[in-house]
Amino acid sequence: MAIYHMQAKVVSRGSGRSAVAASAYMSCSRMYNDYDGIQHDYTRKHGLIYQEVLLPPMASPEWKDREQLWNAVEAAEKTKDSRLAREFVVALPVELDKDSNISLLKDFIQKNFVDMGMCADFAIHDTDGHNPHAHILLTVRPLNENGTWQYKTEKEYLCIKNGEEKGFTATEFKAAQKDGWEKQYRYKVGKKKVYMTASVAQEKGYDRIDKHPKSSRYVRQNPISEQWNSDEQLCIWRANWADTVNEMLAHNQINASIDHRSFADQGITEQPTIHEGYIAQNMEKKGMIADRCEINRQIRADNQMLRELKAQVEKLAQAVKNSIPVIAETMETIRNHMIFTQYHLLHNEMQKEVIHDWMNHFNPILNKYNTVKKKLKAKVTERKELNVEKEKTSILNPIQHIKLNQQLTTVTEEIEELKSRKEQLIFQAQCSTDKDMTNLSKKYDQMNSNLDILDSQDISLKKQLKKDAAAFREEKFRPEPEQYTELLDTRIQIRPNFRDKLIEQLKGTFGKYYDYHRRDIAANEVDYLNVEDPDVFSHRAWELEYQRKQEMRRNQPARAKKRSYDMEL
């Protein structure tokens, strides 16, 4: 089933990653990092389906070689915590073949990243044949028309003109200086240090004590970088990915689609839980079953029906034992209770189907999540151990240091891969955090126990149904054979009232989940159990109605004649 998954990450030196290592890992290749002198070899890694580098027109053609591209990126960044690249991990539709997924991905990358000026390095992975996904590595520093890197941020100098203060970058200041704007420096005024322009300080004879001009507290971002880094742009990319996938699915005549919106925005408000209260009520609204609510509902319904039966028994005890109206009322009362019980069995069957479908959907996701979580924990432990070993290794042993750095880089990339897979599974499970997944696991266990509760209920309901059927047969054969037609006519006359009463009871117990089709199915099954033919009732009811109308017609002339006689008088 096509799912939506698009995870955005940043490859930063501050987190122990390098762009060269990330590219080598996702492309399953061997690459040398000029920045730290580490050789990254992932040629033994499996699961690579396709890889390619896409470049904008201003980029150097040599960067088609990903090793040269990412070494150029590493060389442009000087600080130990530099942001080197932006990485996206996207899930590809399993319904599409390899060529369609490649075409889909290249079209999306070209229109959304490369056309905006980014260099894009991407690879498609599918280790088990059921999880096609792509890693997209993007440059974060814009390019000039001549192919050189632009700045990501630039210092903004606060300048003065006619008492007005305004910020300019170094490039902007060259033009602003001609219009009379001046930089401000710190001068010593008595015991104080005051910012002022050089012209003002020269008039008053103050000495400058700092060579750095006054600047704004925060640097100014490159407008292009600012757009790429904005939340608004990320939302656009997420929406565009969903649109691109849906267009490809429609083009291939596949009846599936994905949605980039959160579940809350989609109007999906489901919050799985096992506790009683408003959350349990939300479960009920979704057609699922909260065990305590269901048990209490069953107890109230059964007690109400038992009270009604006891009242009927006490009433019948005072009546004539073989009275046809009493027998007819008793039979219809028992029949109503049997239909209610049969309806409850059908409702439970529907609930169990919902639970089974839910469990079948989430069971593989939870199993994969737990497996990935264990692997991730092991890799994190392994990285900690390598860091400890690295700290203990003497600086006089550079070969060991390089070896440990290579191992740390490999483990770090594997951790990032596992994190991406875990996030994808969390999204598949309609969750947001690890805590939600824990709650989902608890709910899965609760659903399993709910099935046991429903099975136990079904046993009790079937026993009650068998008991009622025996009581119905006893009442059915109480009259004499010559009284059967009278009993049938009496039951036909009172059945509409009993039907209305049954509908009211079902709606009161099951609320908005009441289904009249299920009620009709329950009634037919009860009649079959009681060896009664509904067609006999229908035919006899039609005969009685026909006789009633004929009687009315016979009486009409007499009434008309009487009215005519009265008018003559």
Side-chain angles (χ1 to χ4, degrees):
M1 181 182 70
I3 64 166
Y4 184 89
H5 176 72
M6 187 181 200
Q7 182 185 16
K9 299 187 286 187
V10 172
V11 178
S12 169
R13 285 181 185 149
S15 61
R17 302 186 70 190
S18 79
V20 174
S23 177
Y25 185 84
M26 75 178 194
S27 61
C28 302
S29 59
R30 181 171 53 247
M31 294 169 60
Y32 182 80
N33 190 348
D34 295 334
Y35 177 80
D36 55 18
I38 296 177
Q39 179 86 12
H40 303 283
D41 188 354
Y42 299 106
T43 53
R44 295 183 180 180
K45 189 176 183 295
H46 300 288
L48 180 66
I49 303 298
Y50 183 82
Q51 52 80 24
E52 188 177 350
V53 176
L54 299 178
L55 301 175
M58 71 284 290
S60 170
E62 296 176 350
W63 290 352
K64 272 288 185 180
D65 180 349
R66 56 173 47 86
E67 185 174 21
Q68 295 194 39
L69 167 63
W70 295 113
N71 271 308
V73 169
E74 295 272 4
E77 306 299 338
K78 307 301 181 184
T79 62
K80 64 180 180 181
D81 60 349
S82 293
R83 291 158 56 99
L84 303 170
R86 180 178 290 103
E87 182 182 12
F88 284 95
V89 182
V90 296
L92 298 171
V94 295
E95 293 86 351
L96 297 178
D97 57 25
K98 173 185 171 181
D99 292 337
S100 297
N101 271 328
I102 292 173
S103 175
L104 159 71
L105 191 62
K106 288 182 66 173
D107 179 63
F108 173 75
I109 293 173
Q110 182 67 45
K111 292 180 180 178
N112 289 272
F113 302 131
V114 178
D115 289 350
M116 293 184 74
M118 304 178 203
C119 303
D121 181 5
F122 70 94
I124 298 176
H125 294 174
D126 191 3
T127 54
D128 58 5
H130 303 288
N131 179 34
H133 63 281
H135 294 257
I136 309 170
L137 208 59
L138 306 167
T139 53
V140 295
R141 189 182 286 270
L143 286 166
N144 291 310
E145 291 297 328
N146 60 3
T148 59
W149 298 110
Q150 295 184 22
Y151 64 89
K152 288 191 289 188
T153 59
E154 194 172 8
K155 185 174 288 188
E156 187 178 56
Y157 300 105
L158 298 177
C159 303
I160 291 286
K161 175 185 176 182
N162 299 328
E164 180 186 359
E165 186 176 67
K166 189 175 180 181
F168 297 96
T169 64
T171 304
E172 294 170 344
F173 179 71
K174 293 178 181 179
Q177 190 176 21
K178 297 178 181 178
D179 294 334
W181 291 92
E182 295 182 82
K183 292 182 180 179
Q184 303 178 74
Y185 297 89
R186 284 203 296 181
Y187 292 86
K188 188 174 183 180
V189 181
K191 295 183 179 181
K192 297 181 179 179
K193 298 175 182 178
V194 181
Y195 278 106
M196 63 181 66
T197 62
S199 59
V200 173
Q202 189 176 2
E203 290 177 3
K204 298 183 179 181
Y206 297 140
D207 295 328
R208 193 168 78 179
I209 60 174
D210 194 348
K211 66 178 181 179
H212 301 291
K214 185 180 181 181
S215 60
S216 59
R217 182 178 179 183
Y218 301 104
V219 295
R220 186 193 296 183
Q221 273 198 341
N222 185 313
I224 300 176
S225 296
E226 187 175 14
Q227 179 188 1
W228 293 356
N229 295 330
S230 66
D231 293 338
E232 292 78 8
Q233 185 61 51
L234 179 59
C235 291
I236 292 172
W237 285 332
R238 289 176 58 84
N240 288 349
W241 173 247
D243 293 341
T244 305
V245 171
N246 289 334
E247 287 175 6
M248 181 60 76
L249 290 171
H251 178 73
N252 286 270
Q253 298 180 344
I254 297 173
N255 186 21
S257 64
I258 61 174
D259 198 321
H260 70 284
R261 296 172 297 167
S262 67
F263 294 105
D265 292 339
Q266 294 180 48
I268 304 177
T269 58
E270 175 186 4
Q271 301 185 12
T273 185
I274 63 172
H275 295 98
E276 187 178 11
Y278 76 95
I279 300 179
Q281 294 173 1
N282 286 341
M283 288 175 58
E284 296 278 312
K285 291 178 182 178
K286 283 293 181 180
M288 297 183 183
I289 176 172
D291 57 325
R292 295 184 182 180
C293 295
E294 184 67 11
I295 291 171
N296 290 336
R297 182 162 53 240
Q298 172 64 25
I299 291 173
R300 286 193 296 269
D302 288 347
N303 287 342
Q304 177 65 24
M305 295 299 285
L306 286 173
R307 283 194 294 269
E308 291 177 0
L309 284 174
K310 288 180 180 179
Q312 291 293 337
V313 170
E314 292 174 358
K315 181 178 179 181
L316 292 176
Q318 304 299 324
V320 180
K321 184 175 181 181
N322 292 327
S323 171
I324 293 299
V326 172
I327 295 173
E329 189 172 349
T330 303
M331 291 178 68
E332 290 302 307
T333 300
I334 296 173
R335 180 177 180 271
N336 263 19
H337 190 243
M338 293 178 70
I339 295 174
F340 184 94
T341 304
Q342 184 62 45
Y343 183 97
H344 203 154
L345 284 168
L346 294 173
H347 179 77
N348 283 2
E349 183 179 348
M350 179 272 294
Q351 292 282 23
K352 286 190 281 189
E353 289 178 358
V354 170
I355 293 174
H356 279 301
D357 290 342
W358 186 92
M359 293 177 69
N360 290 337
H361 174 72
F362 286 106
N363 184 43
I365 297 175
L366 286 170
N367 288 339
K368 292 179 182 178
Y369 172 82
N370 291 330
T371 301
V372 170
K373 192 174 179 181
K374 289 179 181 178
K375 290 182 179 179
L376 183 59
K377 184 178 179 181
K379 289 295 178 182
V380 170
T381 302
E382 182 181 351
R383 184 167 64 177
K384 289 180 180 178
E385 292 172 353
L386 288 171
N387 280 321
V388 171
E389 185 179 352
K390 182 181 176 182
E391 290 175 1
K392 293 180 179 179
T393 303
S394 172
I395 59 175
L396 301 178
N397 191 354
I399 296 177
Q400 183 65 14
H401 267 280
I402 292 175
K403 180 180 178 181
L404 289 172
N405 283 336
Q406 289 176 333
Q407 292 176 347
L408 280 168
T409 302
T410 300
V411 170
T412 300
E413 290 301 322
E414 289 174 347
I415 288 174
E416 292 299 322
E417 179 78 11
L418 289 170
K419 284 181 179 178
S420 298
R421 179 59 180 150
K422 189 177 79 166
E423 289 296 324
Q424 183 178 349
L425 290 169
I426 289 174
F427 188 87
Q428 281 184 258
Q430 304 173 2
C431 294
S432 302
T433 62
D434 288 327
K435 184 178 180 180
D436 292 340
M437 292 296 288
T438 301
N439 290 336
L440 180 64
S441 181
K442 292 179 180 178
K443 181 187 172 182
Y444 184 90
D445 295 336
Q446 184 61 41
M447 286 295 183
N448 207 14
S449 64
N450 286 344
L451 289 175
D452 295 335
I453 292 172
L454 288 174
D455 289 338
S456 178
Q457 285 183 358
D458 287 352
I459 293 173
S460 300
L461 291 170
K462 288 176 181 178
K463 286 182 179 179
Q464 183 62 48
L465 194 63
K466 186 176 181 180
K467 183 178 178 181
D468 288 342
F472 185 90
R473 285 193 298 272
E474 184 179 348
E475 292 294 325
K476 182 177 181 179
F477 295 110
R478 180 178 296 179
E480 299 296 330
E482 60 270 15
Q483 294 178 305
Y484 285 172
T485 302
E486 182 184 355
L487 176 61
L488 178 62
D489 293 349
T490 305
R491 291 179 64 192
I492 289 172
Q493 292 174 3
I494 65 176
R495 178 161 290 187
N497 291 334
F498 276 86
R499 183 187 298 113
D500 294 340
K501 188 176 182 181
L502 173 64
I503 292 172
E504 184 180 352
Q505 290 172 340
L506 289 171
K507 288 182 177 180
T509 302
F510 297 97
K512 64 179 183 180
Y513 300 113
Y514 164 74
D515 187 335
Y516 70 91
H517 290 297
R518 192 176 295 126
R519 183 207 69 204
D520 291 341
I521 294 172
N524 289 334
E525 291 185 7
V526 166
D527 288 337
Y528 178 81
L529 183 62
N530 290 333
V531 196
E532 291 198 311
D533 187 354
D535 292 338
V536 172
F537 274 75
S538 300
H539 182 70
R540 182 57 181 168
W542 180 85
E543 287 182 346
L544 292 174
E545 181 64 18
Y546 179 79
Q547 292 175 5
R548 185 182 67 83
K549 289 181 179 179
Q550 288 295 101
E551 185 67 23
M552 289 177 62
R553 288 175 182 173
R554 284 195 297 269
N555 294 334
Q556 279 179 355
R559 288 197 300 270
K561 182 178 180 180
K562 183 178 181 181
R563 284 198 301 271
S564 176
Y565 176 77
D566 291 341
M567 289 175 65
E568 290 178 359
L569 290 176

